[in-house]
Amino acid sequence: MSGEVCAVLLAAGHGSRYREVAGEGQDKLLARCRGRDGSERAILEHALLALRAKLERVLLVTRPGNVGAIDIGEAHGCEVLALDSAGIGRSIAAAVARTADSAGWLIALGDMPFILPATVGRVLDALREHPLVVPTWQGRYGHPVGFGRSHRPALMALDGDRGAKRLLREGRACELAVEDRGVLWDVDSPAALGFKG
């Protein structure tokens, strides 16, 4: 596959389930946790660094005024799209429209700090051979999901709070089995900050 693949890191949600437990003023993306490399960083920074280890171009989608997230993105040389998003579908559509010249996209979630860079690399490699790639752990679909350029119109047509799961069901995805439980581990509560691999 020629050209440059862009990673899209989705971080425009409000984290309401996390705040119900942690407290109203808490932003889960900025909560600190120990990554699989042993470093202690913000959840979002761990997620971003896994992508940056394998991709030159990363677009961070976050809410306007989310200064902490924007600062992390800019500190690591990412493009930032500030979007008052109506849901994950709209975030993906806007991100793909912004990076429409890309050869493909790796869609990742900002609240998944435990994905190994090697897994990102495997998805990226598989995307050279397949137009749709999803990593699996013990048969369950995870992230990041790779979409080739042929999926651009469908991604740009997404809207609302429905993501790209429909495309996975319809698109005969290449299921890439990985030994990385991090592809499923999202942080929805403070208890999930401690990764158990």
Side-chain angles (χ1 to χ4, degrees):
M1 188 168 73
S2 62
E4 187 179 24
V5 173
C6 178
V8 173
L9 186 57
L10 301 173
H14 292 280
S16 52
R17 281 181 290 176
Y18 184 90
R19 285 200 318 273
E20 283 173 11
V21 177
E24 190 54 39
Q26 301 300 309
D27 184 339
K28 75 171 174 179
L29 295 176
L30 304 181
R32 297 182 74 77
C33 68
R34 186 167 304 282
R36 294 176 76 181
D37 63 355
S39 69
E40 187 153 322
R41 302 177 184 272
I43 288 172
L44 180 63
E45 190 170 14
H46 282 298
L48 190 156
L49 288 173
L51 298 170
R52 288 290 285 161
K54 299 295 178 179
L55 290 126
E56 194 66 34
R57 189 176 192 188
V58 178
L59 175 66
L60 173 67
V61 183
T62 192
R63 298 182 315 279
N66 192 347
V67 177
I70 291 168
D71 286 349
I72 289 171
E74 290 179 345
H76 291 286
C78 297
E79 299 171 51
V80 176
L81 174 59
L83 182 70
D84 191 8
S85 178
I88 193 168
R90 179 157 181 255
S91 291
I92 292 171
V96 172
R98 169 83 171 261
T99 59
D101 59 331
S102 297
W105 296 269
L106 255 60
I107 307 295
L109 304 180
D111 66 351
M112 297 186 74
F114 302 119
I115 296 170
L116 294 170
T119 299
V120 174
R122 287 195 59 201
V123 174
L124 193 58
D125 288 344
L127 193 57
R128 299 180 199 288
E129 306 294 329
H130 305 278
L132 182 54
V133 181
V134 60
T136 66
W137 187 78
Q138 296 189 353
R140 295 171 61 195
Y141 280 12
H143 284 87
V145 180
F147 293 90
R149 189 167 174 80
S150 63
H151 288 281
R152 183 179 66 169
L155 291 169
M156 288 175 62
L158 294 173
D159 197 14
D161 204 27
R162 292 185 354 175
K165 286 182 182 173
R166 177 182 57 80
L167 302 182
L168 292 178
R169 286 193 302 269
E170 297 172 358
R172 289 190 293 249
C174 167
E175 297 180 5
L176 183 67
V178 298
E179 295 300 317
D180 179 3
R181 192 179 180 194
V183 301
L184 299 179
W185 195 288
D186 62 335
V187 177
D188 279 335
S189 71
L193 290 169
F195 180 73
K196 298 174 184 66

